Amino acid sequence: MSHSDSTTALPESGAGWSGLVSGKNAIYSVTLAGSVALHAVNVFVATTIMPSVVKDIGGLDYYAWSTTLFVVASILGAALSARLLNAAGPRGAYLAAAGIFAIGTLICALAPAMPFLLAGRFIQGLGGGFLYALAYAVIRMVFEPTLWGRAIGLISAMWGLATLTGPALGGMFAEIGQWRAAFWTLIPLIAGFAALAAATLPARAQAGDGASPLPKAQLCLLTLAVLVLSAGSVGSAVAVKLAGIGGALAAIALLVYCERRSLNRLLPNGALNPVGPLGGCYAVIGFLVLGMQPEIFVPYLLQVLHGQSPLIAGYLAALTALGWTLGTMVSAGLGEAGGRRAVLAGPLSGLCGLVLLAVLAPQQSDGAWMILGPVCFGLVLVGFGIGLAWPHIVTGVFRFAPEGQQDLATAGITTVQLFATAFGAAAAGMVVNLAGLTEPGGIAGAQSAALWLFAAFAAAPVLCLILRFYGAGRKVS
């Protein structure tokens, strides 16, 4: 899912970083960063151990569902977080979120079969969505405005920390055949975080804090689109898969219809026109993130086709996230002209990476670096392309947001990002199952799945390039 935060474009403050790590602010910083760290580490742990999970309890057909259900539930949790905060206050909201997250984690640790694991992942995702969204809401309550920008930067950096620790935690236990222990290890961390939140955060929300009306119909249709596509991916019957695709497209069409006519919006005015300035930015965000979703199958393919251990496969899969970070660092300081070039170069980088992976990932090897090295480079290129374009696309959303809808536009970035993640994970499951990952399965099935997975998702950066020339990509910087 998200490996970068969309709200980091707030202006830098004059206050130094020392303001975040002194006095009571230091405790707040640890607490809020800890909430995002729990969510992020869990994302990488689950990605790393999934090959071991399906080897132990079965359910290869449902491999992508672990990510899909988690992200869909995260969208719902993020959407409901303002209501939870308003009803329970910061302290109560965080305790409730941690409790939900812990329940989901326990179910995952005890799961005897894939349906139980998927139920746990959904509950985890709901709690994780709360934890993720609450961090940004509570920043405004516990820090002075001069510290908001740096506080957001701090908690966003937790994704980088998770890139290092998540694959290590998951891979270490998968190596010894104890994937359940990876979930059990999260329980004391959740308990420690809950104790810290209870001891440090205020009990009540600020006066006047409230939640805008919830776009219920749109959220239901968004969820339905992802779940129908996921359901259609299971099994080998082509008719079922076509029905899943058709049902998902119908749900998206209804979502667009409701969004255009509803007073309670998910996205600001103009967001649904893909060739308009604002809608083009959202479309590029969606397609950039969509092109990254083959990563959920990377640990499995590296283990089956390239003889990598769970630990190494987990770290290599995280190269896409590393590429995203590197691309953002390169791109963030570019000016207006450089930003326009970055919006073009980003999708080109992603396209080159996916084509490279489509050619080389299916080639069976014993881990020889003549093949594995270029595969790793392809993974980095995919993430690097997203990071290269990301700051300028996000800035475009801020620039083109209608007057009075800036907050809705900012929240819409996360909504589009998470929906693209969930829908992309479901689509990836559809592609690999159609390509034979489970039937005929084995090496031949994995090779066919790798080829079609990366080749099919290469369409995402191509669509970004089309939008670059015909939509808002020409104006984002």
Side-chain angles (χ1 to χ4, degrees), residues 109-188:
L110 295 169
M114 184 59 75
F116 293 91
L117 183 98
L118 295 179
R121 289 288 287 159
F122 184 87
I123 296 170
Q124 263 196 334
L126 184 63
F130 281 133
L131 291 172
Y132 187 62
L134 285 171
Y136 295 99
V138 175
I139 278 175
R140 301 179 61 156
M141 299 180 182
V142 299
F143 292 121
E144 293 295 322
T146 54
L147 292 174
W148 288 354
R150 284 187 169 84
I152 287 176
L154 173 65
I155 62 177
S156 298
M158 293 302 101
W159 284 98
L161 176 65
T163 304
L164 298 174
T165 56
L169 181 61
M172 177 178 64
F173 289 112
E175 291 270 359
I176 60 175
Q178 300 294 327
W179 61 266
R180 297 177 190 276
F183 288 120
W184 284 115
T185 303
L186 294 175
I187 298 299

Side-chain angles (χ1 to χ4, degrees), residues 80-90 93 134 141 205-206 208-211:
L80 294 170
S81 62
R83 282 165 175 71
L84 179 62
L85 184 60
N86 190 52
L134 285 171
M141 299 180 182
Q206 292 177 347
D209 287 351

Side-chain angles (χ1 to χ4, degrees), residues 266-312:
L266 272 176
L267 301 172
N269 294 331
L272 297 179
N273 178 11
V275 296
L278 181 60
C281 290
Y282 279 125
V284 170
I285 286 172
F287 287 126
L288 282 173
V289 174
L290 189 70
M292 185 180 182
Q293 296 321 302
E295 71 169 350
I296 65 173
F297 284 97
V298 167
Y300 180 85
L301 295 173
L302 288 175
Q303 290 183 47
V304 173
L305 295 178
H306 299 283
Q308 298 304 297
S309 68
L311 179 62
I312 299 301

Side-chain angles (χ1 to χ4, degrees), residues 392-420:
H392 308 285
I393 294 295
V394 169
T395 301
V397 172
F398 295 153
R399 179 176 297 124
F400 299 126
E403 189 66 29
Q405 296 187 4
Q406 287 87 352
D407 288 344
L408 186 61
T410 301
I413 297 169
T414 302
T415 300
V416 170
Q417 184 179 352
L418 290 176
F419 176 68

